Each structure stands twice: as structure tokens, then as C-alpha cells.
Amino acid sequence: MLLTILFLAFATMMSAEPPGCKIRITSKGLDMLKYETQKFVEEELENITVPDLKGKEGGLQYTIQDVKIQELNLTYADLRFQPDVGLLFDIQNSSISLTFQRHILYWFLHDVGAINASADGVNIHVALYMTRDDSGRLKISNMSCDAAVAKMRAKFSGTLGKVYEFLASFLTTGMRFILNQQICPTLNHAGLVLINSLLDTVPVRQTVDKYVGIDYALLSDPVVTSSSLDMDFRVSFFFLKIKRKYFYLEYDRMVYLALSEYFFDSGMYAYYKAGVFSMQIANERMPKDLEMLLRTTYFGTIMMLNPALMEAPISLELEVSTAPRCVIKTSGATVAVTAVVTVMMLPAGQTPVQLSSMTMEAKLNAKVSMKGKKLAVHMDLRRFKIYSNQSALESLALIPLQGPLKTMLQISIVPIINNRTKKGVQIPLPEGMDFIEEVVEYHNGFIIIGANLHFTKGLREVIESNRQYMPSNSTLAP
């Protein structure tokens, strides 16, 4: 019996395939993903669709529609390993700001307008079960989600204030119930569908050249502890039975250059760390109509601070808060930028006075081109929004500034960016040689540039022109 057990154990050890590569993700590595995970969750929750609410109480009839989530304030968000499970994403004591459109009929009184509301004490607990699928990819096989909104508040104003107070209990109770029901299905779809579709893009088997391929398959489910996630990969080469020729582009070019999102991200990160992404718009650089709108918007604030500031110049200070990120898809490339916009008064000979601070989020289309040896990018503003760092109510007050600020970006700031990016980055080529007939094709995560080569100088001409810079050889003996 003992010999049988030993034989079976030995056979099991022999049949287990040894990994060609082990990868360990530590808690420090997970910390880098926490911000992106939080931002992803925020974006998904902002897209929650809330159905219209209708009701009747005595002589009161109400309709609540066009519910929009304006801001999520995730006070505490944590991403950590869950032993024997995978990952745990935890949100505690956070809040959600919403706006509704109201239609109220109270006997013969009719009222239409907006309502600002907030959901407080939002707690979300999501566990992601990480496993290996049949193809050898890392996947989220299941999720568990618990979400709860502790309380909800609505701010009412207008001639029917007493009616609104009576209506508040119906609205907040109903909206809190709906939010509780909507959060987990939204996050389950984000994990099991969206994130898994992203994991599908990770190659399992691919060709190295026309002779061999490589297998990156995950051999078993990841091993998760409280401080790490370990994965065993096959990483073995294999012969290709059928030789195929692969082309990235439909055009036959002499040279192909592949550039990933990381290439552009690293460049923007370097400029961000160098402090280039900051700018002040004031005095002659400030459009007159924008200056007038800013003074009107913050008239009350200026009068409360110091009426003498009314004649001082007003300025906008823009500072990018995080390194811009590039996303490349088959439809093209975009760059996402988040910046802090500060409105300042500049009294002569005194310290600048801050009136307000807001967050700007912009998305720009990026068109990549190559001319000669230079790789250049041209930017166009695609999407733009601003919101207050203080409250959702102040964000509503900033709506009149959206259009003028977007125009200022298009006219004043985007051209400055393009003046820098059109100078381009030089691709290393020998002197006297340039790229011609360039073709750019966008793929998911990278771009391919195909080009032919053109000699602008003969080899001899290049050699002779550089001979004077070459070190002289010692004289040969006769």
C-alpha cells in the first residue's frame, strides 16, 4: 500500500509541467493599479441609468426624470489581495452627487426645475475571483458584490418649498433603493465583461519568426496570498507546422516602425515631470470676453474678499495634475489630460488672491505623422468639461464657463501644444537617408508606420563630408 501511494505521488510530480516563467505581483505593484481601478469604477458608476420616478399623493403629482450622476467622491478606496480568491476592491463612507429634473403639479400650481441631491455613506465591497481559463489566460471567473447607500439628501428651493419637503421622503427613499439595486450589476458587468475582454487581448500563442512560435499559457490558477499574486507560465517555443507570411499593413514598404502607447506615455510623463505642462493666462493673453465672464461669475466672491480687487487683473492658471495618458485604437489615438484650473486676482504689488479652483478634463485627438526623419503629432480638442473641487452646486454654476474655456483651449493652448509637437522626434537614420511614402495604421494599443527609404545624398558624398571628423589613422611604413 505504501509503495502504491509513493508511486502515485511520484507519477503526479512527473506529470506536472514545470513552468518556464514565474511572475509575482506584489502589493507595491498593486498600489500602482489602485488609481486606475478607482478611476475605472468612477467612470462606470457615472454611467448608471436611473429610471424615471412618477407618483401621486393627494393633490400632488410629481415626475422625476433625467437623473444624472455629477460627481463621485470616493473618500476611501482600497485595492488589495484576497488570499485564495484574487483581488478585493473596497469603497467606504463615500458620496455621490446627482441632479434631477422635476415636474410637479400641486392642485393648480405647476413647477418645473432642477433638484440637487447627494447619496452619503456609500459602501461597496467587490471581490474578484482570479483563475486560469481553458485557453491559458488569466480571467475573472466570478465576482461577489455588496453595495449600500446609508442615506440620501435632496436640496429644494422655490415657491413650493414646503411641498418639496413633503416630497423629499418619497424621492430619497426611492432613489436610495434604486441606487442600491444598480451599483452591483454595473460593477459585475464591468468586471466579467469589460475587464475580461481586456484580458482577452493578452497573447497566449504567437509567432516569433517564420520558423517558431512561443506559448505564454498560464499553467494553473494564480496563487494569492495577502501580499502577492504568483503565476506560473509555460513560456516554451514550438515549431510552426505551416509557414505563413504576416503583414501588418496592406502596403509593401521597406521599413515598418511599431510604436506602443508606452512610447507616447513615457514622453508625456517626462515632460510632466519637467514641469512643462503649466501655463498662466493673464493680461494680453486673456480673451476680453472670457475676462468679463470670469469677473461676472466671481463678482460676489470678489466683493466678499475685498471690493478693491475689482480693478485688478484676473488670471487663469492651468497645471496638469497627472501625466497625460495615450490610448490607441483602430479608430485613432487620443490623449486624456486632467488639470487644475485656478482663478486668481493679481493686485499690483500684492500677493495673488485665489477666487476658485476647478478640475478640467480634456480629451484630444492625436494624429501621428512622419516626414523625413521626424515623427510628429497634431492635436485637436475632442471633449472638454470642468467641475468644481468644492461642491456639485458650484459645478452647476460653472456651466456658463464651459463654452468660453473650450474656445480658449482651441484658440490659445492647443496651438501652443502643436507648435511643440510638430517639431517632432527624430528617428535614428544615417545621414543622407530619409523616409518617404509614409503610411500610418492604428491598431489596439500601438501604431504601425510603413515607409520607403530615400537617399538624399550618395554614400560617397556622405563619407567624404564626414571624413574630416573621423580620427586619422597612423601612417603606414613604406
Side-chain angles (χ1 to χ4, degrees), residues 270-338:
Y271 279 111
Y272 168 71
K273 295 299 288 184
V276 173
F277 296 139
S278 61
M279 183 179 298
Q280 185 182 53
I281 308 295
N283 301 319
E284 66 273 7
R285 298 179 65 181
M286 172 73 72
K288 295 300 181 183
D289 55 344
L290 178 59
E291 179 181 3
M292 181 64 67
L293 185 59
L294 288 171
R295 291 186 183 277
T296 303
T297 302
Y298 295 102
F299 176 82
T301 305
I302 297 172
M303 294 301 292
M304 285 192 297
L305 289 174
N306 185 357
L309 294 173
M310 284 301 300
E311 300 301 320
I314 195 167
S315 76
L316 284 176
E317 295 184 2
L318 285 80
E319 184 171 359
V320 174
S321 55
T322 59
R325 298 297 300 272
C326 174
V327 174
I328 303 175
K329 297 182 179 179
T330 54
S331 57
T334 59
V335 175
V337 181
T338 302

Side-chain angles (χ1 to χ4, degrees), residues 63-65 100-104 110-116 164:
T63 300
I64 299 299
Q65 60 187 18
F100 314 152
Q101 290 297 321
R102 68 177 185 260
H103 296 266
I104 297 175
H110 182 256
D111 187 45
V112 177
I115 301 175
N116 298 317
Y164 296 158

Side-chain angles (χ1 to χ4, degrees), residues 247-251 256-260 264 328-333 368-369 438-451:
F247 292 94
Y248 282 111
L249 302 173
E250 61 185 87
Y251 302 99
Y256 291 97
L257 177 67
L259 300 172
S260 69
F264 298 97
I328 303 175
K329 297 182 179 179
T330 54
S331 57
V368 180
S369 63
E438 304 89 352
V439 178
V440 179
E441 185 170 309
Y442 296 85
H443 298 262
N444 289 326
F446 63 97
I447 65 170
I448 295 289
I449 302 175

Side-chain angles (χ1 to χ4, degrees), residues 23-33 81 226-230:
I23 294 180
R24 166 169 289 180
I25 301 175
T26 65
S27 296
K28 289 185 177 180
L30 203 61
D31 287 341
M32 296 181 63
L33 297 175
F81 295 114
S226 60
S227 59
S228 67
L229 184 147
D230 292 349

Side-chain angles (χ1 to χ4, degrees), residues 198-410:
L198 176 64
L199 294 174
D200 280 337
T201 64
V202 178
V204 175
R205 292 166 68 92
Q206 65 179 160
T207 59
V208 176
D209 50 33
K210 63 181 181 179
Y211 301 107
V212 300
I214 190 169
D215 191 331
Y216 294 105
L218 188 64
L219 294 176
S220 59
D221 292 344
V223 178
V224 186
T225 68
S226 60
S227 59
S228 67
L229 184 147
D230 292 349
M231 294 176 286
D232 291 346
F233 292 89
R234 179 175 290 124
V235 191
S236 62
F237 291 90
F238 60 91
F239 290 105
L240 294 175
K241 295 181 180 179
I242 302 176
K243 297 180 181 179
R244 296 178 180 175
K245 191 173 182 180
Y246 294 90
F247 292 94
Y248 282 111
L249 302 173
E250 61 185 87
Y251 302 99
D252 187 14
R253 292 293 189 265
M254 297 179 183
V255 177
Y256 291 97
L257 177 67
L259 300 172
S260 69
E261 292 171 345
Y262 176 77
F263 172 84
F264 298 97
D265 285 347
S266 62
M268 291 185 290
Y269 180 80
Y271 279 111
Y272 168 71
K273 295 299 288 184
V276 173
F277 296 139
S278 61
M279 183 179 298
Q280 185 182 53
I281 308 295
N283 301 319
E284 66 273 7
R285 298 179 65 181
M286 172 73 72
K288 295 300 181 183
D289 55 344
L290 178 59
E291 179 181 3
M292 181 64 67
L293 185 59
L294 288 171
R295 291 186 183 277
T296 303
T297 302
Y298 295 102
F299 176 82
T301 305
I302 297 172
M303 294 301 292
M304 285 192 297
L305 289 174
N306 185 357
L309 294 173
M310 284 301 300
E311 300 301 320
I314 195 167
S315 76
L316 284 176
E317 295 184 2
L318 285 80
E319 184 171 359
V320 174
S321 55
T322 59
R325 298 297 300 272
C326 174
V327 174
I328 303 175
K329 297 182 179 179
T330 54
S331 57
T334 59
V335 175
V337 181
T338 302
V340 175
V341 181
T342 306
V343 184
M344 307 281 287
M345 300 299 293
L346 306 176
Q350 300 180 37
T351 303
V353 178
Q354 177 176 322
L355 299 180
S356 178
S357 177
M358 65 192 87
T359 297
M360 178 196 78
E361 292 183 354
K363 183 170 286 188
L364 300 99
N365 288 328
K367 185 178 180 180
V368 180
S369 63
M370 190 163 64
K371 189 71 174 179
K373 295 186 181 70
K374 295 292 184 68
L375 180 74
V377 179
H378 182 83
M379 301 285 191
D380 286 308
L381 186 61
R382 175 181 174 185
R383 195 169 66 191
F384 168 83
K385 72 173 182 178
I386 55 172
Y387 54 90
S388 171
N389 297 328
Q390 278 76 40
S391 67
L393 189 61
E394 187 175 347
S395 294
L396 293 175
L398 295 176
I399 291 178
L401 292 175
Q402 294 269 5
L405 284 177
K406 183 177 181 179
T407 301
M408 182 199 69
L409 281 176
Q410 291 173 321

Side-chain angles (χ1 to χ4, degrees), residues 39-267:
K39 188 173 182 180
F40 175 74
V41 169
E42 289 176 350
E43 291 172 349
E44 291 304 306
L45 293 181
E46 285 175 355
N47 294 325
I48 287 179
T49 301
V50 180
D52 296 346
L53 293 177
K54 296 182 180 180
K56 184 176 181 180
E57 292 290 334
L60 173 68
Q61 299 180 40
Y62 62 89
T63 300
I64 299 299
Q65 60 187 18
D66 196 19
V67 181
K68 294 182 179 179
I69 294 179
Q70 299 292 336
E71 182 181 8
L72 287 91
N73 182 17
L74 302 186
T75 306
Y76 173 83
D78 187 35
L79 179 67
R80 61 183 183 271
F81 295 114
Q82 182 73 15
D84 302 323
V85 173
L87 299 177
L88 181 66
F89 185 68
D90 198 26
I91 296 173
Q92 295 181 15
N93 197 29
S94 298
S95 62
I96 302 175
S97 299
L98 309 95
T99 59
F100 314 152
Q101 290 297 321
R102 68 177 185 260
H103 296 266
I104 297 175
L105 179 63
Y106 185 62
W107 297 111
F108 300 107
L109 298 176
H110 182 256
D111 187 45
V112 177
I115 301 175
N116 298 317
S118 64
D120 300 321
V122 178
N123 297 305
I124 305 173
H125 182 88
V126 180
L128 296 88
Y129 293 77
M130 311 299 297
T131 60
R132 171 194 181 275
D133 70 2
D134 293 337
S135 64
R137 284 189 175 91
L138 182 67
K139 280 295 181 70
I140 300 173
S141 62
N142 198 7
M143 290 178 60
S144 64
C145 175
D146 294 311
V149 177
K151 60 181 178 179
M152 197 151 185
R153 296 178 297 176
K155 298 179 180 179
F156 302 94
S157 60
T159 57
L160 302 180
K162 296 295 182 181
V163 176
Y164 296 158
E165 291 177 6
F166 172 71
L167 182 61
S169 60
F170 295 101
L171 296 182
T172 54
T173 301
M175 288 303 302
R176 185 164 67 91
F177 174 79
I178 291 174
L179 282 177
N180 281 333
Q181 297 298 312
Q182 293 279 358
I183 290 175
C184 279
T186 299
L187 295 182
N188 284 338
H189 177 269
L192 295 175
V193 178
L194 300 182
I195 297 180
N196 273 340
S197 66
L198 176 64
L199 294 174
D200 280 337
T201 64
V202 178
V204 175
R205 292 166 68 92
Q206 65 179 160
T207 59
V208 176
D209 50 33
K210 63 181 181 179
Y211 301 107
V212 300
I214 190 169
D215 191 331
Y216 294 105
L218 188 64
L219 294 176
S220 59
D221 292 344
V223 178
V224 186
T225 68
S226 60
S227 59
S228 67
L229 184 147
D230 292 349
M231 294 176 286
D232 291 346
F233 292 89
R234 179 175 290 124
V235 191
S236 62
F237 291 90
F238 60 91
F239 290 105
L240 294 175
K241 295 181 180 179
I242 302 176
K243 297 180 181 179
R244 296 178 180 175
K245 191 173 182 180
Y246 294 90
F247 292 94
Y248 282 111
L249 302 173
E250 61 185 87
Y251 302 99
D252 187 14
R253 292 293 189 265
M254 297 179 183
V255 177
Y256 291 97
L257 177 67
L259 300 172
S260 69
E261 292 171 345
Y262 176 77
F263 172 84
F264 298 97
D265 285 347
S266 62

